[in-house]
Amino acid sequence: MTGVSNISASSFSGDQSLSAFGKARATVDGAPLAPDELVGMHAFWRACNYLAVGMIYLRDNPLLREPLKPEHIKNRLLGHWGASPALSFSYTHLSRIIRKNDLDIIFMAGPGHGAPGVLAPVYLEGSYSEIYPDKSLDEEGLLRFFRQFSFPGGIGSHCTPETPGSIHEGGELGYVLSHACGAAFDNPDLIVAAVVGDGEAETGPLATSWHISKFLNPIRDGAVLPILNLNGYKINNPTLLARISHQELEALFVGYGYKPYFVEGSDPETMHQAMAATLDQCVKDIHAAQQEARSSGVATRPRWPMIVLRTPKGWTGPGEVHGHKVEGFWRAHQVPVGDVKKNPESLKLLENWLHSYKPEELFDSNGAPSSAFANLLPAGNRRMGSNPHANGGLLRKALRMPDFRDYAVEVLHPGQSEAENTVPMAKFLRDIMKANMNNFRVFGPDENTSNKLGAIYEVSKKFWIAEYFPEDSDGTELSTDGRVIEMLSEHTMEGMLEGYLLTGRHGFFSTYEAFVHVIDSMYNQHAKWLSICNHLPWRQNISSLNLLITSTVWRQDHNGFTHQDPGFLDVVVNKSAEVTRIYLPPDANTLLSVADHCLVSQNYVNVIVCDKQLHLQYLDMEAAVIHCTKGVSIWDWASNDYGVEPDLVMACAGDVPTQEALAATALLNDEFPDLKIRFINVVDLLRLQPESEHCHGLSDRDFDGLFTRDKPIIFNFHGYPWLIHRLAYRRTNHANMHVRGYKEKGNINTPLELAISNQIDRFSLAIDAIDRVEKLRVVGAHAKERFRNQQIACRAYAHTHGVDNPEIVNWRWPVRHATDSGS
């Protein structure tokens, strides 16, 4: 075999069982590959490795038809070689098992920057050229293929959305198994092969996601086949799992519930045979488990197979460069030979490395891949680069949606009645699930009941396939055919939902506001993915990622300071306006309207912030729909400036801030009957941005018409106050905008005391108005004193009784001001 490492197993002086070198050592015996098949598969893998090196180094002379020269080398050498050979090795063998058994398999590459090991086989199998005809299967197309890699105007070094067959980028490590599990849900014939890098295996999200084996139902779901690649090193540090004993490693995965199969070594011939035999066994195990469950109708938890693939980092690359060990060491991680344009010795080393793969045997005279391995590859959509599950919009079917208006809360007069905002939406979600039992799921980290979404259990329980105790029947809501997925890991739940959406389905995720920060970076990655997909015409739209942020800051008086953080909104606004949406519905009917809109939308991340506790209700359903459609509007029933310019604009966004802004307005109406107040509620937060910055943004003319050009604005906001300034800083009247919001003040407080501490309470807002309306600054002094006295009294009452004064708790919008509910 060609392309064999020149570092032998004898160079390894530690525990020989941890060596990645030598002939294959495997759990499964056998040599299932016929001689011709072995030769063809090895040729394909050699070609993959040649392309991986070419992507990193070459800008010309793609097939080495002439001696390698400095001008053939890219000016900047960017890319990661170390993980690529094991990735393409896995891809090669999965392609063989697909063709052999006519399987439906998609491939996910967990190792960061492992794209060369995936792009190469996707190109060789023909999938890449079908999407990008200019990257044709000839010398000219190959040159373009090389030149685009890690090059300005080209593609990145991980499996970005531009990569056919990819739904997992690997830019941030830790999510490959949770994505794979989400892809397998409700896909009974699909196998998701997920390569886990041993550096990635050290991340928190990946560590929790080994538990996905406990969430796959062998009757209705597909299977995930984890392939843990132990190449031993990260950037310049050993990896933990590569340095523990075989027995400890095996015990770890047996403890997680897997049946681990080991394939270890570097000798290509024996490694090909061992990997082929192991994959044959894994597929048998998967099909046996599924057949047993599907024939009996009883879903029990199988011991799913997984593969531990121990190979050298930078396998088949240079064993040594300038006296330093490379293959099987951390120096193989990125660019093993770095000074090839200036150092003739390095240039020759690179040329010898490329020639070791014998490209003249792998490509014909036109530069097309050799026919020696073409007949070993799957065809059509069975190719992993062309599988429609990896372009989920191709398979997406619209949800069957009940009419959200049927779940409306009755509102006869605004601000007179209370309801738990998320309870009606729970019934809406329940009936959506009932109508879409194969392509809709609800996810959450053990909080759906707490978030008042328990109605969904009337249709489908929480999936549970582990041990079951008799007492679990008393309200625990567990079932082996449940479709609600709960695990106390925001990372794993978010990853499962993303995988589900990316393969063409629909879902909903709820979590506590303070701890949605756990998935800040996951949100970032998904938003970036969608942003790129919006510019790839071949990528079909997928369902939006819908996040309900509840158990919010203003109702965390009992949990205290640790649970008070509305800053996720600041993170959301950082991402592209093409894909971000933020909604703050103030009551149950606006939440229903927003949820309906979000659940049928595509290619967005929709963030909905709405608390689960009892709140005043303001709008009947007709008014709620109108208000949500506009995103921001004047509430006439709370305003008294009709036909004249207001003296003050009282604005708000969020449920508790809306209530306090209304209460402040009522106080001001009582104290100053002639004061003209315009009351504005914002439900679509990004309406505050200019239309040049966000497609939902108001025009300057409309913004000025609502908020005026020169009148004081008191804006009571759910989150950190500077976010409103950030969104509206370019507006004409921004200088007169005074924003109140959360200021990191709080602990175990009553709700009003928490509001007072952060100055979003009714008394602080009324005082703000007096300070900013010029005609009130002197005459309002007595009112300010009364408001301050009331604040002091409210704090004293809370510290004495442990609850807010009933006058505050039972406050309603005054009947004398109330009209029929409307916007």
Side-chain angles (χ1 to χ4, degrees):
M1 292 287 176
T2 57
V4 182
S5 165
N6 58 357
I7 295 291
S8 67
S10 63
S11 67
F12 187 82
S13 60
D15 181 351
Q16 291 296 319
S17 69
L18 303 185
S19 173
F21 290 99
K23 290 190 175 182
R25 309 179 303 278
T27 307
V28 179
D29 294 328
L33 300 178
D36 288 348
E37 188 177 19
L38 175 60
V39 169
M41 290 182 66
H42 187 60
F44 182 80
W45 183 49
R46 282 161 46 208
C48 290
N49 289 332
Y50 178 83
L51 294 187
V53 181
M55 278 183 257
I56 295 171
Y57 285 97
L58 298 183
R59 62 176 297 176
D60 209 345
N61 193 17
L63 291 172
L64 299 185
R65 297 277 168 82
E66 58 178 293
L68 197 61
K69 300 175 184 177
E71 56 264 32
H72 298 154
I73 307 299
K74 292 179 178 179
N75 291 317
R76 295 177 70 209
L77 299 180
L78 302 171
H80 289 66
W81 161 248
S84 295
L87 284 167
S88 59
F89 182 80
S90 300
Y91 199 106
T92 299
H93 280 270
L94 289 163
S95 296
R96 174 247 174 194
I97 203 76
I98 291 170
R99 185 176 179 91
K100 176 184 177 183
N101 296 303
D102 191 27
L103 298 177
D104 198 6
I105 296 180
I106 60 174
F107 186 83
M108 293 191 188
H113 300 281
V118 179
L119 287 164
V122 170
Y123 173 81
L124 290 170
E125 73 181 14
S127 295
Y128 204 88
S129 298
E130 290 175 11
I131 298 293
Y132 305 106
D134 62 322
K135 312 304 186 300
S136 47
L137 291 169
D138 52 33
E139 186 170 6
E140 183 179 354
L142 181 60
L143 180 58
R144 292 195 184 100
F145 182 72
F146 283 171
R147 284 180 173 175
Q148 70 170 353
F149 180 78
S150 281
F151 202 82
I155 61 173
S157 61
H158 26 93
C159 296
T160 60
E162 293 94 338
T163 303
S166 172
I167 63 168
H168 174 83
E169 180 165 326
E172 182 184 11
L173 302 178
Y175 312 125
V176 68
L177 289 181
S178 55
H179 281 162
C181 184
F185 282 150
D186 299 314
N187 265 328
D189 299 322
L190 183 67
I191 297 175
V192 186
V195 179
V196 180
D198 52 353
E200 177 185 27
E202 296 177 6
T203 65
L206 197 286
T208 62
S209 64
W210 288 114
H211 290 292
I212 65 165
S213 62
K214 303 171 181 71
F215 289 92
L216 291 168
N217 183 320
I219 296 177
R220 67 168 182 229
D221 297 331
V224 175
L225 178 61
I227 302 173
L228 173 63
N229 179 218
L230 295 180
N231 64 36
Y233 294 90
K234 303 182 284 285
I235 292 178
N236 68 341
N237 204 44
T239 57
L240 295 173
L241 294 184
R243 294 294 180 94
I244 62 176
S245 70
H246 184 288
Q247 292 77 14
E248 187 178 352
L249 188 63
E250 183 175 27
L252 176 67
F253 291 110
V254 169
Y256 273 128
Y258 292 93
K259 185 176 183 179
Y261 292 103
F262 287 76
V263 179
E264 303 170 291
S266 63
D267 171 63
E269 182 171 347
T270 55
M271 285 294 286
H272 280 303
Q273 293 287 10
M275 189 65 169
T278 300
L279 270 177
D280 284 346
Q281 185 62 51
C282 289
V283 170
K284 287 179 183 177
D285 290 353
I286 289 169
H287 286 166
Q290 292 173 336
Q291 177 60 29
E292 179 180 355
R294 293 170 189 180
S295 61
S296 67
V298 178
T300 56
R301 181 163 66 98
R303 189 167 283 279
W304 295 107
M306 66 162 294
I307 297 173
V308 179
L309 177 64
R310 190 190 301 270
T311 59
K313 195 172 188 75
W315 191 10
T316 76
E320 184 179 289
V321 176
H322 304 321
H324 295 286
K325 178 179 172 66
V326 175
E327 186 191 23
F329 196 48
W330 60 262
R331 286 192 174 88
H333 182 73
Q334 293 178 307
V335 180
V337 189
D339 57 348
V340 290
K341 285 187 77 74
K342 296 181 179 179
N343 186 332
E345 182 181 351
S346 297
L347 184 65
K348 188 62 177 177
L349 181 61
L350 173 61
E351 185 174 34
N352 291 341
W353 178 15
L354 286 164
H355 274 299
S356 74
Y357 299 113
K358 299 185 183 291
E360 67 277 6
E361 296 178 2
L362 305 175
F363 301 92
D364 66 18
S365 58
N366 294 319
S370 169
S371 59
F373 50 75
N375 61 350
L376 300 175
L377 300 174
N381 287 347
R382 285 296 194 237
R383 295 171 297 173
M384 290 184 287
S386 297
N387 193 300
H389 292 287
N391 189 1
L394 292 170
L395 304 176
R396 180 183 181 274
K397 295 180 180 178
L399 283 174
R400 297 173 60 196
M401 295 287 288
D403 190 341
F404 68 95
R405 296 169 181 83
D406 295 341
Y407 306 87
V409 170
E410 185 178 50
V411 180
L412 298 178
H413 300 288
Q416 292 293 305
S417 59
E418 289 185 316
E420 295 170 313
N421 288 339
T422 58
V423 169
M425 190 187 68
K427 298 174 183 177
F428 181 46
L429 292 174
R430 173 198 65 195
D431 293 346
I432 293 172
M433 183 173 285
K434 184 177 181 180
N436 301 273
M437 289 295 279
N438 294 312
N439 67 337
F440 179 79
R441 292 194 181 222
V442 173
F443 299 81
D446 189 40
E447 297 160 357
N448 283 306
T449 299
S450 173
N451 292 336
K452 310 295 177 70
L453 300 179
I456 56 178
Y457 302 136
E458 297 171 21
V459 169
S460 182
K461 307 295 186 183
K462 291 177 277 188
F463 179 75
W464 189 259
I465 203 171
E467 291 298 319
Y468 189 92
F469 297 161
E471 56 267 31
D472 288 329
S473 61
D474 185 17
T476 314
E477 309 288 2
L478 304 179
S479 173
T480 57
D481 64 353
R483 301 185 55 74
V484 180
I485 306 297
E486 293 188 12
M487 175 184 169
L488 197 50
S489 167
E490 288 86 352
H491 285 124
T492 306
M493 294 297 96
E494 166 85 2
M496 287 180 178
L497 174 56
E498 288 179 2
Y500 200 60
L501 299 175
L502 287 161
T503 46
R505 280 74 63 75
H506 310 258
F508 192 85
F509 182 103
S510 71
T511 190
Y512 288 1
E513 182 174 57
F515 306 119
V516 70
H517 279 298
V518 172
I519 56 170
D520 276 0
S521 59
M522 295 189 75
Y523 154 78
N524 284 337
Q525 294 295 315
H526 191 73
K528 288 175 182 290
W529 178 278
L530 292 177
S531 293
I532 295 177
C533 286
N534 282 334
H535 300 280
L536 298 174
W538 62 273
R539 283 277 183 190
Q540 300 300 302
N541 287 352
I542 61 171
S543 301
S544 296
L545 177 65
N546 298 307
L547 302 177
L548 172 65
I549 311 303
T550 189
S551 193
T552 56
V553 54
W554 304 112
R555 286 296 181 261
Q556 288 302 322
D557 41 90
H558 58 300
N559 282 322
F561 196 45
T562 59
H563 284 54
Q564 297 164 5
D565 187 340
F568 184 67
L569 300 185
D570 299 72
V571 176
V572 174
V573 172
N574 289 336
K575 297 300 109 182
S576 168
E578 285 185 301
V579 300
T580 51
R581 305 289 186 267
I582 298 174
Y583 301 99
L584 294 102
D587 64 5
N589 288 337
T590 51
L591 176 58
L592 284 166
S593 179
V594 164
D596 178 77
H597 170 77
C598 292
L599 284 164
V600 299
S601 68
Q602 300 175 43
N603 272 36
Y604 299 142
V605 179
N606 295 309
V607 177
I608 308 170
V609 183
C610 191
D611 190 58
K612 63 191 181 184
Q613 306 292 356
L614 279 171
H615 289 272
L616 288 177
Q617 302 299 302
Y618 308 112
L619 304 181
D620 62 29
M621 183 53 78
E622 181 181 358
V625 171
I626 293 172
H627 180 46
C628 292
T629 301
K630 292 191 291 185
V632 53
S633 57
I634 299 170
W635 283 1
D636 286 335
W637 52 266
S639 305
N640 65 357
D641 68 325
Y642 189 81
V644 299
E645 286 196 44
D647 298 308
L648 170 72
V649 175
M650 184 70 75
C652 53
D655 37 37
V656 171
T658 295
Q659 174 181 295
E660 293 303 305
L662 284 167
T665 300
L667 288 173
L668 292 168
N669 285 336
D670 289 341
E671 293 285 346
F672 310 106
D674 295 332
L675 183 68
K676 298 303 180 183
I677 302 175
R678 176 176 298 175
F679 193 93
I680 295 176
N681 182 263
V682 179
V683 66
D684 181 348
L685 189 66
L686 298 178
R687 294 286 276 165
L688 298 179
Q689 281 192 295
E691 60 183 348
S692 61
E693 302 300 315
H694 196 285
C695 61
H696 282 202
L698 287 170
S699 68
D700 286 337
R701 180 177 296 175
D702 287 340
F703 192 94
D704 291 348
L706 285 170
F707 290 92
T708 77
R709 295 179 61 86
D710 56 3
K711 298 299 187 289
I713 303 166
I714 308 296
F715 199 117
N716 212 26
F717 179 49
H718 172 87
Y720 291 104
W722 45 83
L723 180 57
I724 299 300
H725 289 296
R726 174 181 170 187
L727 296 174
Y729 77 97
R730 293 171 58 183
R731 299 300 192 174
T732 303
N733 200 24
H734 177 255
N736 287 317
M737 181 178 284
H738 181 66
V739 184
R740 291 298 188 185
Y742 185 67
K743 301 193 299 183
E744 291 291 311
K745 304 287 187 181
N747 209 321
I748 304 300
N749 311 112
T750 64
L752 182 65
E753 188 186 14
L754 180 61
I756 291 171
S757 296
N758 291 277
Q759 298 178 292
I760 74 149
D761 65 290
R762 59 199 69 185
F763 307 115
S764 295
L765 298 176
I767 291 170
D768 285 339
I770 293 171
D771 288 342
R772 284 163 178 79
V773 176
E774 186 172 355
K775 68 181 183 180
L776 300 182
R777 288 175 184 168
V778 175
V779 301
H782 295 285
K784 284 174 64 175
E785 288 296 301
R786 285 192 291 274
F787 296 154
R788 289 191 179 115
N789 293 342
Q790 287 177 280
Q791 279 184 326
I792 294 169
C794 286
R795 279 189 184 274
Y797 189 97
H799 285 210
T800 301
H801 300 280
V803 294
D804 282 323
N805 190 312
E807 292 183 7
I808 298 296
V809 174
N810 298 320
W811 180 86
R812 301 292 184 266
W813 178 250
V815 174
R816 65 183 180 276
H817 298 310
T819 61
D820 287 343
S821 172
S823 63

